[in-house]
Amino acid sequence: MARQAFGTIDNRGTASRPRWRARYPDPTHTGKGRAPRITAPHTFPTKRAAEAWLAAQWAAISAGTWVHPDEARRREEEAARERRLRDATVAQWATTWLERLERTSAPGTVRFHRSCLRTHILPALGDTPVASLTTRGLTQWWESLDCGPAARRNAYNTLRALLYAAVDDEGTLLDANPLRIKGAATEVRAADRHLLAPAEVAALADAMPPPYRALVLLLADAGLRINEALALTRANIHMDPRTGATTVSVEHSLRRDGQRLVLGPTKTFAGIRRVVLMPATAEALAAHLDAHVDPGADAIVFPSPRGGFARSGSLSEGFARALSAAGVVVPEGRRVGWHALRHYSATRYGQAGATTRALMVRYGWSDPDMAARYQRADEAYERELVARMAARSAAAMDE
């Protein structure tokens, strides 16, 4: 080992392939005992090269520009991280965002956002770094969307959610959401749900195959999501012997696990709830349990004809046939699917005088705006209100 005026040099190679190591004491050491030594990041082919490296370290220390190797490494890593974050594209962040959504959201929600991204967002913005997105650029994207109002609104809401998640995450450099287009999040629907009438619901239920008649009545009364209803077992149906009231405990929703259907969480945490049924619905459900459901607490309330959980998509064909057989006329531009029964339930519940809080509890919403969205006055209900006002006015005139 050769001792220098500053540091040490020793031969770490062989006679045929000499390599020289250079080290020096840590100048930041202030504790007791010998200072730990800092070793060059690599060995040198000649002793002179090692001496030159030590001389450069001493010069930096003397000039006050020396940086501890650990700090230099930290700075390099931070600079590399900044470059990665600065260059991270919308497509890359979307992949991370969807992976996280899969752990916290319903499968249908994830499929919805993935579809919006694939169809309307990533083709135009996928290669754009998230950190370089601007309100002007996103407005141009919005104005160039070539699709209907509903698809435009859905794409906007998906991108807005993705960017708000980016703002809240340390994995991006975005500090504010640049997507700010007035009215875009509430653009008018191109095909709104048809609000069924009570007689139409009754006719639709009677036109369904007998094992699923009670399913229509339950959805129209309790307003469960279709995959919440298909996840029910006998253990979820409760009758209070004291009051005679029947309730449904909504604890799960079906989700796909590969080719299988399994019990998963409800769409939101607020979706875990107990819903009181109308007496007529409770009676129909009791008859259904006696006629179509196996005994035992784990028996599925609305099983597939082949056993196990039923798939909502498979049942939709029977629903469509029943809709036609019931003579339900759906206006042009409107649609009726399983969710129309939830819409029917929430609308009728609101019209019966339910408060926003009561709507949120019954339908498992955590956002008050959702309750307002499902409250709507159809023409028949408006005529009913006008008739009430007229009656009150006439009564007042007679006093």
Side-chain angles (χ1 to χ4, degrees), residues 146-157:
D146 184 18
C147 56
R152 283 164 58 86
R153 184 191 63 250
N154 292 340
Y156 181 90
N157 287 335

Side-chain angles (χ1 to χ4, degrees), residues 4 55 69 134 177 340:
Q4 310 295 122
T134 64
N177 193 336

Side-chain angles (χ1 to χ4, degrees), residues 98 109-121 158:
L98 288 173
T109 300
V110 178
R111 289 195 300 271
F112 168 80
H113 287 307
R114 182 176 283 114
S115 176
C116 289
L117 284 162
R118 181 181 63 251
T119 307
H120 301 298
I121 298 172
T158 291

Side-chain angles (χ1 to χ4, degrees), residues 33-329:
R34 176 175 162 179
R37 287 182 290 181
I38 295 174
T39 303
H42 54 80
T43 59
F44 301 92
T46 65
K47 183 178 179 182
R48 185 178 296 277
E51 291 172 343
W53 182 83
L54 281 175
Q57 303 307 304
W58 174 250
I61 293 170
S62 301
T65 59
W66 178 84
V67 178
H68 194 287
D70 291 346
E71 175 63 17
R73 189 160 41 250
R74 188 196 67 77
R75 292 181 185 179
E76 289 175 1
E77 292 173 352
E78 181 62 24
R81 177 179 177 275
E82 290 284 332
R83 288 193 297 272
R84 287 196 304 272
L85 296 183
R86 185 177 62 250
D87 297 337
T89 64
V90 172
Q92 290 170 334
W93 171 244
T95 299
T96 300
W97 182 61
L98 288 173
E99 288 174 352
R100 293 177 183 175
L101 277 185
E102 288 176 344
R103 298 193 292 269
T104 60
S105 301
T109 300
V110 178
R111 289 195 300 271
F112 168 80
H113 287 307
R114 182 176 283 114
S115 176
C116 289
L117 284 162
R118 181 181 63 251
T119 307
H120 301 298
I121 298 172
L122 297 184
L125 302 173
D127 294 335
T128 305
V130 175
S132 66
L133 293 172
T134 64
T135 298
R136 181 177 180 180
L138 292 178
T139 301
Q140 291 175 346
W141 161 78
W142 167 252
E143 292 174 347
S144 68
L145 279 177
D146 184 18
C147 56
R152 283 164 58 86
R153 184 191 63 250
N154 292 340
Y156 181 90
N157 287 335
T158 291
L159 183 57
R160 183 176 63 169
L162 179 144
L163 294 180
Y164 272 129
V167 170
D168 292 338
D169 194 276
E170 293 183 354
T172 77
L173 295 180
L174 204 63
D175 56 9
N177 193 336
L179 187 61
R180 297 188 298 273
I181 303 173
K182 187 175 182 180
T186 57
E187 185 158 314
V188 177
R189 292 178 181 270
D192 206 353
R193 291 185 184 89
H194 172 60
L195 180 60
L196 295 165
E200 291 177 323
V201 171
L204 176 60
D206 289 340
M208 288 289 290
Y212 302 108
R213 176 180 182 273
L215 174 61
V216 170
L217 297 176
L218 176 65
L219 296 177
D221 178 0
L224 275 61
R225 301 175 179 91
I226 180 61
N227 281 320
E228 292 174 341
L230 297 180
L232 294 175
T233 64
R234 277 185 177 270
N236 298 122
I237 313 299
H238 313 275
M239 189 187 78
D240 188 332
R242 183 174 54 85
T243 64
T246 298
T247 59
V248 174
S249 177
V250 184
E251 301 173 0
H252 299 286
S253 181
L254 293 184
R255 66 175 181 84
R256 282 186 291 186
D257 182 12
Q259 297 299 316
R260 299 184 308 127
L261 288 175
V262 298
L263 293 176
T266 58
K267 189 172 183 180
T268 63
F269 179 76
I272 301 175
R273 61 204 187 275
R274 181 169 287 200
V275 182
V276 179
L277 302 182
M278 293 189 298
T281 306
E283 183 179 340
L285 186 58
H288 169 83
L289 293 173
D290 289 341
H292 303 290
V293 182
D294 293 336
D298 294 335
I300 300 170
V301 175
F302 300 107
S304 163
R306 296 183 296 276
F309 292 117
R311 295 178 181 271
S312 59
S314 299
L315 297 184
S316 293
E317 296 180 10
F319 182 90
R321 289 193 296 268
L323 197 68
S324 177
V328 177
V329 179

